[in-house]
Structures are given as structure tokens and as C-alpha cells.
Amino acid sequence: MPSDSAALAPPGDLLVEALEGMERPLFVLDEFWRFSYINPAGARVLDRRVEDLLGREVWVEFPEALGGPFDELYRRVRDDGGSDSTEAWFAPLGKWFRADVFLTDAGLVVTYDDVTERRRTEDERAAAVTAREEAAAAAAAAAAEAEQAGRHLMLLGDINLAMTSTLDVDEAVQRFADLVVPLLADWCVVTVIDDKGKRRDVGRAHRDPEMLSALHRYADLRVASNSASAPVPTLMRDPRPVTVPDLTPELVESMVADEKSREALAPLRPGAAAAFPLVARGELFGGVTLVNGPERGAHTPAELRTAEIASRRAGLALDNARLAMANQQIAERLQRSLLSPPVQPDQLELAVRYRPATRGMSIGGDWYDAFLQPDGDTVLVIGDVMGHDIEAAAAMGQVKTLVRGIAFDRLEEPAGVLRRVDHALVGLAIPTMATALACRIELTPEERGAGLRLLRWATAGHPDPLLLLPDGTVVDLVAPVGPPLGVGWLGPRVDGLAAMPDGSTLLLFTDGLFERRGVPLDDGREQVRDLLRRSGGLPLDELCDLLLAEMLGDGAEDDVAVLAVRAHPMDDESEA
């Protein structure tokens, strides 16, 4: 320590050495507020040097402290004696200090600590506690909101399920009314417009079962008694939501035309109403009226949003119900026309099976075909257009017709037929893709004498066929696989060629026969192969039925088509 520091410090070398070595900051102010002593630790905390502060007035060095908590503390202790302390923020140094002050004969002794980190920790802890409390409150509010949103989402799902599981319009709208009460309203009336344009109030529900009779009395009168300003007549003219958050007696009187209807409405105590149109594809099918009593009050924004979505879904469900029967009839006619019985050439026996997927309509994109070319060869085709609906069936009809027409006219090998069909689909802008397998069973006079048929086939992304030989061996007929039809493939398509001896059985099928969720494709195909091996001696129709029963069980996950051909001995003159 410099000599002038020693001169101003309290006497005693040992004491000076002790103060100099203290880790806690300390300084002494004389009667003129000058630093008479400061230890190195004190100078460091104040971001100064000892020699720069000794003999200097504290208020000159730190003018910002004048009038602040440290100024007040120092003056109070000097005036009153004794000791005191304070803790405050000192902005010039950007620090929190705790100062302990006591008056001695040597001057005002100040010991102090930089407590910035402690205060920051305490502030962070306090902020964390506050944040946790705020988060808990927000979480509780969010949980309540999420619970309500969850109930509304479940309602929308229930409406879809309830209304689409029946084709009866009256039953569907009653299910709707039962579901929205009491979640969205105290009571509800659903209006439908029949094919003759007549309005009927069909669906009716009240949260209090004892009030249903009163609701029925009013609903029976409502159609005839509603004035033009009532919610339902309003949305019939302009299909948009109508909300009445406060149904005053004056509004009720203006909306309900006759006294008898108003008397029927009175026990239901309407306090607020909201009405939503039932619209699908631009057509108005009716409306939904949701009414709350005075205790519940106006519908909340969340209730109104959910009610509007629910009404849209209800409108779609009613439209779907109306169209369902027509679609089913179309599907049945398409199925009968597209899946015609195959030809039955001499010494060849053909059997076909089609099983639609258990979901949706009874028709899809799978197909089979068998016909004779002008030269007498038999052509077999099996394929799968992507999709499981009427559009897929319509596309399948186009693809099937192209294959049949090109194969009959060109007399080409199967690979050439598939190549032409692929390019035709692209050139004609038919928006579909399909896998297909085309086979031709060839029989020349020389081959007939040798009792030998040739099987020529090509595949466009379709599962390979299986051939059961007379000795019980099952052969996978593997040929180079080309891409599906409809992509405009410019590369080569290649035929496979194999002998088809008397007594053999050829099996063509779509992937729905062996593809299963959770079952590897090779395992599923092996099941088909094993079943053909074990049951190949059955009559062909029984074999096809067994394949479907064993592989599909009670239901098919995908459409399935099967085409089986058995080669009977060529010296058998009877038709197979």
C-alpha cells in the first residue's frame, strides 16, 4: 500500500495488514466525506484503484450517489451514531450493493458487498415463481379451452358417423339434433326441405326430457306461424347464419305471427337463438335452429363456430344420403357390364371371381377379361386401376376396352399390346394409372399334335401369375416387369414364355388376394402358392372359392380379382 494510504489509515501495522488482506470491501470516510482509507478489495468492487480514491471526496467521485439510499444511510449514521445498513442498486456501476455503516473515532466505516448475482438469482427465482403461477393459470384456462375444443371435435366426428350411417333423412336429422343438445344449445329444431320444396321441422331435441312435449307442440306450429323475419325464413332466402343474441319479447312477437304459436313457445323460454343453413354443393336442404334459455344466454363464439361447421357436415350428410342409393345402382350396373363372364374355349376351362373391398361401394378398379383372337388364341387379362370408387370403375372400363380392342385388332404379343395401351392412355389424356398382366395361350396345329400349349405373357407392374403343373409343382411365371400403364413408358416391354401342359392350372390375380397389413408380401404370396399346391386337384370353381375363403376370410381389405385357367387334355373333344 502507498505511504500516504498508511498515513491516513488507522494506526497499527498489524491492523493495516489485516484490512489490506480482507476479501470484504471496506473504506473509511473522514469528516469531510473524503476517503481516508480503502482496501484493495473495496477499490476493485468500485472499479477504481486505491491511489485514485484516497483523499478524494466520495460525492465528487460518485456524484450519482447524492440524494440516493447510500447518501441517506451515511448521513443518518453520522448524525445519529451507531450503525445501520441498506441494499440498493447503484446505476453508474450497474451493480447492487449491500452497505453496512458504523461510526468510529477514525471516521465513518463502510463495509459493502457486490450482491448483484444474489439479487439476480433472487429476482430470477421470484420471476420463475411468478411465471409458474402465471403458467399454471394459463394452463388451467388452456385445459378448460382444450376440453371444450375436444368435446366440440368429438361432436363433429359423432355427427359424421351418426348421419352417414343411415340413408333415412328423418332419422339422420334427429340424430343430429340429439347430438348438438346440450353441448351447443338448450334446445334445437332441424328443418328439412323435401323433394317437393315443402319445409318440415323434423329433428327436435331438448336438454330437459320433460320439455320435449312442449317443444313438439311449438315445432308442429312453427312452419305455418314463422314470419318472414324469423331466423329460418331469413336463411331460406339468403343461406347464411343468423344469430339473435337477445330474444326480447318484442322480437319474439315480430317473428312468431300468431298468438297460439307464441303461447306454445312461452314454456320453452327462448333467450337467444342462432340458425344455420344446411347446404351442400350449392343446394339448400334445410336449416338448424339452436336456442338457449335466459340462464345460458347468447351462444359463445366457439359454439357458433362449431355449429356452423356441424351444419355444413350435416348438409353434406343429407346430400350423401340422397345420392347413396343412386350411386349404388350405378355401381351395380357398372359391375355387371364390366365384369362379364369369360369365354370358354375348347379344352380350356376358365373361372373368374371378383370380391369388392368390404368398405365403400361394391365396385372398384380391379378387372379381368378373357376373349378369343381371330386366329383362335385365347387372351387373358387381369388388372388393377388405382382407386375403389365409381371413378376407378369408369377408368377401369376405359382401360379394359383399350386392351381388348388393341389385342383383338393387332394380334401382337402381350408386351406389344401393353405398350400400345400405355401410349394410348397417355395420348388420349385418360387420367389414370393401372397395373395389368396380359397372357396369350397359343396353340398351333403342330403343338396340338404334341399336346403342348405355349403361354406368352407380359406384365405392367402387376403380380406374377402362378402355374400349377400336373405333378403338383407350382411355378412362378416371372417375366421382366415393366412400369404400370398410363405413364407413357418409352423403354422395352418384354414377354415371358412357358409351356402349359395338359392338366396344368394357371392362376392370375390382383394384389388384394395376398396383400395384408402387417404381413410381408412374400409371406402372403407364399400362402397363395401353398394353397394352390395343396388344392390344385379341386374343380376349378371350388378352387377359386377356396382361394377367396382362405385368403380373405370375412372381408377383403382391397378389391380382389381372380382368373383361373385349367388346360384339359386336347384329345378330349368335349367342351370343358
Side-chain angles (χ1 to χ4, degrees):
M1 181 176 177
S3 59
D4 56 350
S5 172
L8 292 171
D13 292 340
L14 291 176
L15 178 59
V16 170
E17 291 180 4
L19 292 174
E20 293 285 299
M22 280 181 58
E23 292 186 3
R24 190 176 190 197
L26 179 146
F27 62 78
V28 179
L29 300 175
D30 64 16
E31 59 181 334
F32 301 107
W33 300 107
R34 294 176 302 187
F35 287 95
S36 63
Y37 175 79
I38 183 168
N39 67 357
R44 281 195 303 272
V45 171
L46 295 177
D47 294 340
R48 300 290 183 89
R49 296 185 303 172
V50 171
E51 56 267 31
D52 293 336
L53 292 176
L54 288 177
R56 307 284 294 181
E57 184 181 336
V58 66
W59 311 125
V60 173
E61 295 301 315
F62 301 101
E64 298 86 356
L66 275 170
F70 298 109
D71 180 12
E72 295 175 2
L73 172 65
Y74 298 167
R75 296 182 189 277
R76 184 170 63 251
V77 172
R78 170 165 285 184
D79 292 342
D80 300 340
S83 64
D84 203 350
S85 63
T86 192
E87 192 170 291
W89 173 257
F90 191 55
L93 297 179
K95 297 177 182 179
W96 281 89
F97 289 101
R98 174 182 172 83
D100 295 296
V101 183
F102 57 94
L103 188 62
T104 69
D105 293 340
L108 194 68
V109 179
V110 180
T111 61
Y112 53 100
D113 295 294
D114 180 353
V115 295
T116 305
E117 287 304 317
R118 176 176 62 78
R119 289 297 297 254
R120 181 180 293 114
T121 300
E122 291 174 353
D123 290 346
E124 290 175 352
R125 186 180 299 114
V129 171
T130 302
R132 284 197 298 270
E133 292 173 349
E134 293 176 349
E145 185 177 348
E147 182 181 2
Q148 182 191 62
R151 290 197 298 267
H152 285 195
L153 285 174
M154 289 181 63
L155 169 67
L156 296 176
D158 291 343
I159 287 172
N160 279 349
L161 179 62
M163 296 193 70
T164 56
S165 59
T166 178
L167 300 182
D168 186 287
V169 171
D170 289 3
E171 182 180 355
V173 296
Q174 183 57 51
R175 291 181 180 182
F176 179 87
D178 290 335
L179 286 169
V180 299
V181 172
L183 186 58
L184 300 182
D186 287 338
W187 54 275
C188 168
V189 177
V190 184
T191 302
V192 296
I193 302 173
D194 62 21
D195 295 338
K196 298 179 181 179
K198 182 179 178 182
R199 171 186 161 190
R200 297 187 300 123
D201 286 342
V202 180
R204 306 167 183 183
H206 199 292
R207 69 182 307 156
D208 184 357
E210 295 183 358
M211 294 300 297
L212 271 177
S213 57
L215 177 58
H216 287 315
R217 282 194 298 273
Y218 170 66
D220 289 342
L221 300 168
R222 191 175 79 143
V223 172
S225 63
N226 269 173
S227 66
S229 62
V232 174
T234 299
L235 67 81
M236 292 293 176
R237 295 190 303 272
D238 183 9
R240 291 185 294 179
V242 178
T243 57
V244 187
D246 185 13
L247 268 174
T248 63
E250 294 76 17
L251 279 175
V252 171
E253 186 171 356
S254 68
M255 294 176 180
V256 183
D258 65 276
E259 184 64 29
K260 183 178 180 181
S261 296
R262 289 196 293 271
E263 290 177 357
L265 177 60
L268 297 171
R269 304 173 62 243
F276 301 87
L278 297 176
V279 177
R281 298 188 302 163
E283 183 175 353
L284 181 67
F285 293 94
V288 178
T289 306
L290 302 175
V291 184
N292 285 343
E295 293 81 11
R296 184 165 179 171
H299 296 85
T300 67
E303 290 170 344
L304 293 174
R305 285 195 302 270
T306 301
E308 185 172 3
I309 297 171
S311 300
R312 291 191 197 129
R313 296 190 177 186
L316 289 171
L318 294 179
D319 185 38
N320 290 338
R322 185 187 66 171
L323 297 175
M325 292 304 298
N327 286 342
Q328 286 183 353
Q329 292 172 356
I330 292 172
E332 291 171 0
R333 287 195 292 270
L334 276 172
Q335 184 178 15
R336 285 194 297 268
S337 65
L338 296 176
L339 300 178
S340 53
V343 297
Q344 296 292 344
D346 289 347
Q347 288 81 44
L348 285 180
E349 178 186 0
L350 276 68
V352 293
R353 293 292 185 274
Y354 175 79
R355 175 79 68 86
T358 52
R359 61 185 184 278
M361 292 185 175
S362 58
I363 194 165
D366 289 19
W367 90 92
Y368 53 76
D369 198 7
F371 54 92
L372 296 178
Q373 287 183 310
D375 60 2
D377 287 343
T378 302
V379 176
L380 313 171
V381 183
I382 195 162
D384 182 358
V385 171
M386 296 181 181
H388 306 282
D389 52 19
I390 289 180
E391 290 185 4
M396 176 261 280
Q398 292 178 292
V399 178
K400 176 183 175 181
T401 301
L402 278 173
V403 175
R404 174 177 277 237
I406 291 174
F408 185 85
D409 178 66
R410 291 291 179 173
L411 296 179
E412 282 187 301
E413 76 286 354
V417 171
L418 293 181
R419 181 171 57 251
R420 291 183 183 278
V421 172
D422 182 25
H423 293 165
L425 287 173
V426 174
L428 295 173
I430 298 175
T432 190
M433 289 179 61
T435 67
L437 178 76
C439 297
R440 188 170 68 192
I441 301 177
E442 303 173 353
L443 183 63
T444 64
E446 296 79 9
E447 291 162 347
R448 176 181 291 274
L452 180 66
R453 300 176 180 86
L454 288 179
L455 177 65
R456 195 182 303 273
W457 76 97
T459 177
H462 200 81
D464 296 324
L466 296 175
L467 181 64
L468 173 66
L469 298 175
D471 63 1
T473 302
V474 177
V475 179
D476 287 87
L477 297 181
V478 179
V481 179
L485 304 178
V487 300
W489 173 246
L490 298 178
R493 293 187 183 272
V494 182
D495 287 313
L497 184 64
M500 187 176 179
D502 289 348
S504 59
T505 301
L506 175 66
L507 185 66
L508 282 62
F509 45 87
T510 57
D511 55 13
L513 183 65
F514 62 91
E515 284 191 0
R516 298 290 179 274
R517 283 191 296 269
V519 178
L521 293 179
D522 289 344
D523 291 353
R525 187 176 174 88
E526 180 57 36
Q527 292 178 22
V528 178
R529 189 184 295 108
D530 181 64
L531 188 59
L532 181 61
R533 183 185 301 111
R534 290 186 289 106
S535 308
L538 292 175
L540 203 57
D541 281 324
E542 293 183 22
L543 173 61
C544 291
D545 291 337
L546 181 64
L547 276 169
L548 296 185
E550 291 286 334
M551 296 301 300
L552 306 182
D554 296 331
E557 296 179 7
D558 193 2
D559 301 329
V560 179
V562 173
L563 194 162
V565 182
R566 179 158 292 166
H568 292 290
M570 283 180 278
D571 56 1
D572 185 353
E573 296 299 327
S574 62
E575 291 189 1

